Structures are given as structure tokens and as C-alpha cells.
Amino acid sequence: MVKPSTAAVEGIPPRPLPMSPEAATAPDPQKLAPELLGWYDRHRRSLPWRARPGERPDPYRVWLSEIMLQQTTVTTVSAFFDRFVARFPSVEALAAASLDEVLHAWQGLGYYARARNLHRCARAIVAEHGGHFPDTVEGLRELPGIGAYTAAAIAAIAFDRKAAAVDGNVERVMARLFALETPLPAAKSEIRALAETLVPDARCGDFAQALMDLGASLCTPRSPQCILCPWQSACRGRALGIAETLPRRRARPEKPTRRGFAYWAVRPDGSVLLRKRPENGLLGGMMEVPSTEWREAAVDEAIARQQAPVKAAWVRLPGTVRHTFTHFHLELTVLAGETATGAKAEGQWVPLDRLSDQALPTAIKKIVNHALGVARRSRSRRAPSR
Ligand code: SF4
């Protein structure tokens, strides 16, 4: 086996050999915050929701960005944020809007439970707090849709409170910095306790954002760029040569697949049948193409035909529609049928060219695209060739 060399090669700094666990000393919390803040002052990301140096952060923008970023990437939120704020410029404007308007404006971000909670939260802030965000972790946690991480992030960034905002990125940085080998999620409480020891007395908001930037730009899941990291000399995971393998994780169980039938019902005037999902639960309050229950056991097609929301001569479309949610895969077969004008139906008829006005989640848009794609292909096969 070839031993790693410590010699520098043409400008490439030598990679240190891993130390023994005894030789790699624990990081000194007193030095870590100043090192990270110094790096942040030089390399902070410029983001649409972030206050510039010297500017006072706007709690509304901080809150919005934290909710949007919960399950969506910075790139997607960056392209979306200004448009949303232009439509709802203040917490009062958001509270005054209808839920349908908010869900519609949220299209493209997914995880619509966040939008419903956002709306409830805006109304609670206006009704119970005179339009002002509570400025403590405890006060923020009482609001709808604000969990431990989000409360800490808002308290730190918007109000400079001494709070540790620990999300997946920060867990990774902490696990590496302290070389924690306990797998997640068991390591969560230990990581939180360690993160709390690092928060400085001043510039708490900058520290929280610096940690986010470090996790996003240098201490990335694969190939961390330790050579550029302000904590490179303190990092125990790096010294031991195990940084990239951390954090350890308990193996995740496989996601189950749920199946069902969707009904693509079209009226002679070209309108399509949609219905509203129940307010609570997955995709709550969103419009959908009607479907059977989604479940793991196979759904019998004959029963699906009996359960159709409107009378029609149903034809099974070729192929299936697949979508993956957080906890399961979804596989839907589409039954398409043309109905008579005035046929009694459970739902609401929407003209095809008005579908884009509806708050349709991505999974449902896939059904629409599938049905329209099959119809288009079948028309082009029937068209006489020239
Ligand atoms: Fe992450 Fe490397 Fe920095 Fe350690 S030195 S915190 S592993 S980027």
C-alpha cells in the first residue's frame, strides 16, 4: 500500500496525516466563535432575506426565510423569496390574505403544511401580538409552525438572542468538529449541548448565520473543504482523518410505496374535475385530481371504477404517475373519462386553461401532465399524415 505523502506538491498544501484519538485534543470553545466570526466577516453569503452588515434584520423576512428553508434549498428559496415578499410585504398583509391566496403563492416550494402554518402564524402575530414577533425562543415556540430550530434561528438572527439553532447542517459541523461517533438521531442532544457551549455573548445572530454558511459552503456532506475552514486547526474530525465519514447515522428503513387510481374526468366543454383535499393532513387544503385512497395494499381496478366521483366510460391510461413524499413513494394509475354535460359530480369543474390558477401540488401536476401527454400523443397518432 502506498503511504500518503506529507510533501507539498507544486503549490498544493500537504494533507496532514491522521492523528491518534489521544493526540487530537478537544476544540477550545473560547477560540472557536472569534475564528468563525472573522471568517464570516470576509465570506458571508449575500442572500435576499439577509440584512447587510450594519442593517437591522427584519423579523418578518427572517421568519419567512426560515420557514421556506425548512425543506427547500437555498437556490430554490432565493429565486422565490422576493416574489413572495412583493405579494405579501408584511405580516399584516399575509394575515389579511386568504389561505387559498397563500397556498397559490407557495406553489413551487412544496410541503404545503408550512404554508398553512405560515398563514395561521401570521394571523396569530397580528391578533395576539399586535403585529410584532415575540423576541424570545419561548415566545416564538408558542406560534404555529415554529419548532425548536426555527425559534432559535429567529431569536438569534432577528433579535440577537443567545440561542443555538441546530439543524442538519449544524449537526454535521458539530459531529465533525468534536469527532462524535454516536449515530444520529441518538447524538442529537449531545450535539445540541456542544453547540450551546459555542454561542458567544455578542453577535449571536451573526454566529448562527456563520455556522449555517460554514455548513453550506465548506463543511459540506461530501468532500468538506477543510483547507479553507476557519476551524481547520481545531477540528478533531479532521485531525483524526474521519471528518468526511461523520456524522454517523442509523440505517433508515425503506420508504413504503402507496398506490391508487386517479380520475381524470373531462366535460365536453373541456373542463376538468378537481376537488379540495381536507384541511388537515397531507397536502391539506390543496386542490387535487380526485383519486381513490392511497394505500400500500393493491387497489382493485373494478372497485376504483365503482368509487369514481362522476359517471363516465373510464379508460385506463398507459403508464403510471410516480411521486415521492417524505415518508412514502406514491404510484397512481390514471382512469380517464369523458362525462356528459351536467353530470352530477363530487368536486369542482375547472376549465383546462385555468388550471394554473389553482393551488396544485407537484404530485397532482404530474397527474395533469400525464393525462394531457397521453391525450396529445393519441391525437397526433390519429392526425392524417401529409
Ligand atoms: Fe468541517 Fe473540515 Fe471545518 Fe472540520 S475542518 S469543521 S470537517 S470543513
Side-chain angles (χ1 to χ4, degrees), residues 172-178 214-215 217-220 223-239 242-244:
R172 181 173 63 253
V173 176
M174 291 297 124
R176 290 172 174 177
L177 181 64
F178 292 96
L214 185 71
S217 59
L218 298 183
C219 198
T220 47
S223 311
Q225 297 183 59
C226 302
I227 199 72
L228 302 174
C229 179
W231 283 347
Q232 59 175 289
S233 58
C235 182
R236 205 154 179 262
R238 177 178 191 246
I242 59 170
E244 201 168 343

Side-chain angles (χ1 to χ4, degrees), residues 261-266 272-275 288-292 303-312 314 335-337 339 343-349:
F261 285 84
Y263 305 98
W264 180 252
V266 184
V272 177
L273 184 64
L274 298 183
R275 72 178 174 194
E288 68 169 0
V289 172
S291 67
T292 58
I303 294 176
R305 286 170 183 269
Q306 284 167 19
Q307 292 178 351
V310 62
K311 210 166 162 206
W314 296 104
L335 296 175
T339 66
K344 201 161 165 261
E346 299 159 25
Q348 172 184 335
W349 293 100

Side-chain angles (χ1 to χ4, degrees), residues 45-264:
R45 289 177 294 174
S46 168
L47 299 169
W49 49 88
R50 196 174 263 185
R52 284 188 285 274
E55 250 179 31
R56 204 188 188 120
D58 175 355
Y60 176 62
R61 295 171 73 89
V62 174
W63 165 67
L64 272 185
S65 66
E66 285 302 330
I67 302 293
M68 289 178 181
L69 288 165
Q70 277 170 4
Q71 274 129 332
T72 310
T73 63
V74 166
T75 312
T76 305
V77 175
S78 295
F80 184 92
F81 187 81
D82 284 338
R83 216 175 339 132
F84 193 90
V85 174
R87 182 146 180 207
F88 307 111
S90 64
V91 71
E92 287 84 1
L94 189 57
S98 71
L99 177 60
D100 277 349
E101 283 175 277
V102 176
L103 289 173
H104 189 256
W106 196 263
Q107 278 190 85
L109 281 190
Y111 299 97
Y112 287 86
R114 293 180 299 170
R116 285 193 303 279
N117 280 330
L118 191 83
H119 189 239
R120 281 175 56 214
C121 186
R123 290 195 162 176
I125 288 167
V126 171
E128 295 158 27
H129 300 273
H132 299 289
F133 282 80
D135 65 358
T136 61
V137 173
E138 299 72 29
L140 288 159
R141 278 222 65 176
E142 293 190 359
L143 293 167
I146 298 191
Y149 164 77
T150 309
I154 300 170
I157 299 170
F159 303 110
D160 227 19
R161 294 278 179 189
K162 193 167 176 178
V166 183
D167 66 352
N169 278 332
V170 175
E171 282 175 352
R172 181 173 63 253
V173 176
M174 291 297 124
R176 290 172 174 177
L177 181 64
F178 292 96
L180 294 182
E181 301 217 41
T182 313
L184 285 167
K188 277 181 182 287
S189 53
E190 191 179 355
I191 287 179
R192 160 161 297 283
L194 286 168
E196 280 168 359
T197 65
L198 302 190
V199 183
D201 292 330
R203 297 190 68 192
C204 306
D206 282 349
F207 182 79
Q209 293 176 99
L211 209 42
M212 292 170 187
D213 284 12
L214 185 71
S217 59
L218 298 183
C219 198
T220 47
R222 289 196 203 109
S223 311
Q225 297 183 59
C226 302
I227 199 72
L228 302 174
C229 179
W231 283 347
Q232 59 175 289
S233 58
C235 182
R236 205 154 179 262
R238 177 178 191 246
L240 295 171
I242 59 170
E244 201 168 343
T245 68
L246 299 174
R248 308 257 189 263
R249 287 181 199 280
R250 202 180 56 201
R252 285 199 189 141
E254 282 265 304
K255 279 185 192 180
T257 298
R258 296 186 193 169
R259 296 180 176 82
F261 285 84
Y263 305 98
W264 180 252

Side-chain angles (χ1 to χ4, degrees), residues 264-316:
W264 180 252
V266 184
R267 254 185 356 192
D269 66 0
S271 296
V272 177
L273 184 64
L274 298 183
R275 72 178 174 194
K276 196 167 193 173
R277 291 184 64 85
E279 287 298 334
N280 295 319
L282 184 73
L283 308 179
M286 311 278 307
M287 295 302 284
E288 68 169 0
V289 172
S291 67
T292 58
E293 207 186 327
W294 303 343
R295 50 184 208 178
E296 285 175 49
V299 180
D300 188 281
E301 185 172 331
I303 294 176
R305 286 170 183 269
Q306 284 167 19
Q307 292 178 351
V310 62
K311 210 166 162 206
W314 296 104
V315 176
R316 179 186 175 135

